[in-house]
């Protein structure tokens, strides 16, 4: 490697099939930056030693994905508000030896939806899920002024999410069971439905938590799952006459925000998006 090459990593397990290297390396190339982005499979037990190696090797920054988004927190020096608010990190920058954690998932999801349908302020949003991704999305939506309802399989996690938002934003979010009559009722008065669970992801592309009979034509349906791009939920939404937004936009937007944190350069979003699409084979 040349001396001035900056190294960026993705830490996760699994990392096979990730689109992030294609997205970031295409952006580095486009801007003529002498940087490289490499995925590294890291098991939970090895995370501390990998972070130690990152410090020693002066790695410039890294992404964190499943299952490390929460465990990484204790190994960092500082958290940005985007990460401390939802207690999950997906992006780390090395600032002169100090590792600072950010979360760009929520902002990425918000930017993607707003770029397609305009401001979410005062929109009624139902979010399925209360895991790391759902927490970040619910927080960004509530912060942007949306009226958020969360439905999660495990009610305690839904309650924990509501408590975070109440504490941080002084905003109340509603909780609804992930069961048909109650969920259908919440969706009937909603403007936007977001699936922030892993349901429908390959290798189980025929699963969905919500079917066409629970949807309506004025609804916008966004699935954060991007493998497959046209999920079962999005097919059900089309059947109901709803507008659909696939998961690739959020992936690209969160990557673009991370890219800006790392490089302080304006991300070439179109290049990043077509690299992601090409790698997916779409
Ligand atoms: P991520 O960081 O990608 O959000 P996660 O924290 O493991 O991953 O969260 C996964 C989310 O998908 C959770 O909301 C989970 O529900 P539980 O909190 O009840 O576990 C949800 N999920 C996964 N499989 C599901 C299924 N078969 N039915 C309903 N919800 C499911």
């Amino acid at each position: 490697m040349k001396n001035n090459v900056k190294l960026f990593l993705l830490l996760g397990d699994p990392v096979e099939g990730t689109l992030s290297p294609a997205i970031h390396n295409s952006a580095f190339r486009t801007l003529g930056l002498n940087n490289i982005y490499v995925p590294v499979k890291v098991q939970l037990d090895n995370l501390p030693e990998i972070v130690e190696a990152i410090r020693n090797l002066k790695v410039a920054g890294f992404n964190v994905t499943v299952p490390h988004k929460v465990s990484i927190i204790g190994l960092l020096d500082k958290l940005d508000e985007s990460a401390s608010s939802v207690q999950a990190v997906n992006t780390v920058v090395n600032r002169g030896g100090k590792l600072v954690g950010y979360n760009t998932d929520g902002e990425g999801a918000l930017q993607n939806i707003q770029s397609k349908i305009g401001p979410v302020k005062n929109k009624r949003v139902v979010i399925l899920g209360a895991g790391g991704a759902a927490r970040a999305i619910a927080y960004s939506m509530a912060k942007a002024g949306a009226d958020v309802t969360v439905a999660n399989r495990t009610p305690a996690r839904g309650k924990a999410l509501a408590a975070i938002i109440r504490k941080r934003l002084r905003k109340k979010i509603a909780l609804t069971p992930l069961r048909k009559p109650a969920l259908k009722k919440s969706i009937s008065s909603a403007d936007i439905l977001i699936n922030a669970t892993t349901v429908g992801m390959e290798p189980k592309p025929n699963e969905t938590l919500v079917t066409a009979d629970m949807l309506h034509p004025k609804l916008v349906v966004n699935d954060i799952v991007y493998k497959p791009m046209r999920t079962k939920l999005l097919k059900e939404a089309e059947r109901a006459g709803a507008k659909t937004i696939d998961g690739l936009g959020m992936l690209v937007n969160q990557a673009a925000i991370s890219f800006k944190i790392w490089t302080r350069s304006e991300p070439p979003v179109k290049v990043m998006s077509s690299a992601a699409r090409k790698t997916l084979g779409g």
Side-chain angles (χ1 to χ4, degrees), residues 70 86 88 127-138 150 152 157-158 161 196-197:
V70 176
V86 294
I127 297 176
L128 309 176
R135 279 212 303 265
I137 295 171
V150 165
N152 195 51
R157 282 184 103 188
L161 197 167
T197 74

Side-chain angles (χ1 to χ4, degrees), residues 66 69 128-134 152-155 157 178 196-199 207 209 224:
V66 176
K69 287 185 179 182
L128 309 176
N152 195 51
R153 178 179 60 181
T154 311
R157 282 184 103 188
L178 193 65
T197 74
T198 47
V199 177
E207 294 189 347
L209 295 171
I224 71 160

Side-chain angles (χ1 to χ4, degrees), residues 12-24:
D13 183 16
V15 291
E16 291 84 10
T18 169
L19 304 183
S20 298
I23 294 174
H24 285 291

